[in-house]
Amino acid sequence: MFGALKEKLKGWIKRNKGDLEKEEKKKEKRKDKKKSKEKKKEEKKDVVREEKQKKSFLDRFKRTITEERFEEMFEELELILLQNNVALEAVGSVKESLKKELVGKIEKEVNLQESLKQSIEDLLLDSPDFLKEVKRIVGEKKVCVILFVGINGSGKTTTIAKIANLLKKNSLSVCFAAADTFRAASIEQIGEHAKNLNVPLVKKDYGADPASVGFDAVAFSKKRHIEVVLIDTAGRMQNKDTLMREIEKVSRVTNPDMKIFVGESITGNDVTNQAKAFEDAVGLTGIILSKADVDEKGGAAISVSYVTKKPILFLGTGQGYGDLKKFSKKELIKSLGL
């Protein structure tokens, strides 16, 4: 996971660390030559020579990274980040953070890896305890309603099934709402998951009002004392305005406790833009990135929280019901080799 970006960052750190060391050695050689000439000329001026040597010695520990040198270093890093699907906004934040940390600092005291690690870590939000929050809501309201949004093909329905599996394993009862009444075979797909997981499914015919499906699922759950309602929705981005109005209506009618965006990690900047669109439309609680196990670039995981200001809750790591990993920014940083 994120192997391509890991190698690129590793190479950048190594090259620039080496450049700083080479530049330092060149400066030392020039200084030594200059000192040698001065020594011959000033052999009889012991006091003056001693003072100049002392100054030269101290200067070795005072050479700093200039703004010009920083721009040269960052130019390559910027290209690496953009090529690996890190959003422009996030790249700008990394630049400002590194600039503040490095410019004016003494070269010998700079730790490029640690500085880069911190600048990327600052982009990420801590993931809340999803299960703890669900249980808190159930304790207060009896029923926790979770609305899932995202475009078609993002793994949204499969992710809903994974969440249901997680909840059931933690002794919470679950109901599905098949509120995607537009996409062909969507009701059958979630119905298959419901059968596999032994979860009740509330559904209507294709073309029915999605909000009414969600409303009925909540009413059904309250009546049957089911604790969590998971609402599937449509995701036809080719008709974005209609879709967003539909999602807004489902949200308004069902009044969900959580609104979770599901997107494919491997789609890079597209998933970040999608998440931002749904955040603007309904206001998200959190994000789940599917197919993270096959994402070699990692830019989406770095960018999406920064752009939406909402945390990543889980990473999808396969097609099995158990292939859902709680997001940890420490683990993401580690997977980048930092």
Side-chain angles (χ1 to χ4, degrees):
M1 189 164 65
F2 312 149
L5 181 55
K6 175 181 177 180
E7 291 305 312
K8 293 285 186 180
L9 294 178
K10 192 175 175 182
W12 180 81
I13 291 168
K14 186 177 180 181
R15 281 190 296 278
N16 282 281
K17 184 179 178 182
D19 286 347
L20 286 175
E21 290 174 350
K22 285 177 184 177
E23 185 63 25
E24 183 67 20
K25 287 178 180 178
K26 285 180 181 178
K27 288 178 180 178
E28 291 299 331
K29 284 182 179 179
R30 287 196 296 268
K31 181 62 72 175
D32 288 342
K33 286 181 180 179
K34 187 176 180 181
K35 278 173 59 181
S36 178
K37 290 179 181 178
E38 289 177 351
K39 186 177 178 181
K40 290 178 181 179
K41 291 179 181 179
E42 300 174 7
E43 284 179 343
K44 296 180 181 180
K45 299 178 182 179
D46 294 339
V47 176
V48 176
R49 186 179 68 238
E50 185 179 341
E51 288 300 317
K52 287 191 175 184
Q53 286 176 336
K54 186 185 291 184
K55 184 179 178 181
S56 176
F57 177 78
L58 292 173
D59 280 350
R60 294 181 189 182
F61 299 92
K62 293 181 180 179
R63 294 189 183 95
T64 60
I65 296 176
T66 64
E67 193 164 331
E68 183 181 4
R69 173 68 181 117
F70 172 77
E71 291 294 338
E72 290 175 3
M73 290 166 60
F74 191 79
E75 186 176 1
E76 181 190 2
L77 179 60
E78 181 177 37
L79 187 60
I80 289 170
L81 294 173
L82 291 172
Q83 286 177 338
N84 284 275
N85 297 332
V86 179
L88 192 59
E89 291 174 61
V91 173
S93 177
V94 170
K95 182 175 183 177
E96 287 306 307
S97 177
L98 281 176
K99 189 174 183 179
K100 186 177 179 181
E101 178 64 26
L102 299 179
V103 173
K105 292 293 177 70
I106 298 167
E107 290 179 358
K108 285 189 173 182
E109 295 178 359
V110 165
N111 185 329
L112 277 182
Q113 181 169 324
E114 187 59 35
S115 297
L116 181 57
K117 173 185 173 182
Q118 189 59 54
S119 68
I120 292 178
E121 195 169 331
D122 287 346
L123 298 175
L124 306 169
L125 299 177
D126 289 314
S127 181
D129 190 324
F130 174 76
L131 286 170
K132 185 178 180 180
E133 182 62 12
V134 170
K135 289 178 179 179
R136 183 191 67 77
I137 294 167
V138 169
E140 291 179 1
K141 300 173 64 176
K142 304 302 181 187
V143 177
C144 175
V145 180
I146 305 178
L147 178 68
F148 289 84
V149 299
I151 69 163
N152 291 338
S154 63
K156 182 168 71 268
T157 305
T158 301
T159 299
I160 292 172
K162 291 179 181 182
I163 292 292
N165 180 64
L166 175 66
L167 294 171
K168 283 173 67 72
K169 283 189 172 183
N170 284 272
S171 304
L172 289 162
S173 53
V174 181
C175 171
F176 285 154
D180 181 358
T181 59
F182 182 84
R183 179 172 60 89
S186 62
I187 298 174
E188 286 78 9
Q189 183 186 8
I190 196 167
E192 189 64 28
H193 289 307
K195 181 181 176 182
N196 293 340
L197 295 166
N198 193 26
V199 169
L201 172 67
V202 174
K203 63 181 181 178
K204 291 189 176 182
D205 293 335
Y206 286 105
D209 181 5
S212 70
V213 179
F215 180 85
D216 288 353
V218 174
F220 174 85
S221 296
K222 288 179 178 177
K223 186 176 180 180
R224 301 294 182 91
H225 304 290
I226 294 172
E227 295 164 306
V228 187
V229 181
L230 305 180
I231 304 175
D232 193 12
T233 59
R236 51 191 189 283
M237 284 300 276
Q238 66 270 26
N239 196 349
K240 181 181 173 184
D241 292 339
T242 301
L243 169 65
M244 292 306 176
R245 284 196 298 270
E246 182 181 295
I247 299 295
E248 286 170 9
K249 183 180 178 182
V250 175
S251 180
R252 192 168 60 250
V253 169
T254 61
N255 190 27
D257 300 288
M258 295 185 187
K259 288 169 274 190
I260 297 175
F261 169 79
V262 180
E264 286 184 304
S265 182
I266 55 175
T267 58
N269 278 310
D270 284 347
V271 75
T272 301
N273 293 333
Q274 292 158 16
K276 184 66 167 61
F278 281 103
E279 162 64 13
D280 292 342
V282 296
L284 301 173
T285 304
I287 295 160
I288 298 176
L289 293 177
S290 64
K291 302 182 183 178
D293 55 316
V294 293
D295 182 7
E296 285 296 305
K297 295 188 173 182
I302 292 173
S303 306
V304 71
S305 277
Y306 180 77
V307 172
T308 63
K309 310 304 179 195
K310 295 298 162 64
I312 299 172
L313 303 174
F314 296 99
L315 298 176
T317 56
Q319 291 301 307
Y321 291 134
D323 295 330
L324 193 67
K325 184 178 182 181
K326 187 179 186 301
F327 177 77
S328 164
K329 67 179 186 179
K330 284 187 178 180
E331 286 192 21
L332 185 142
I333 292 294
K334 187 177 179 181
S335 70
L336 293 175
L338 298 174

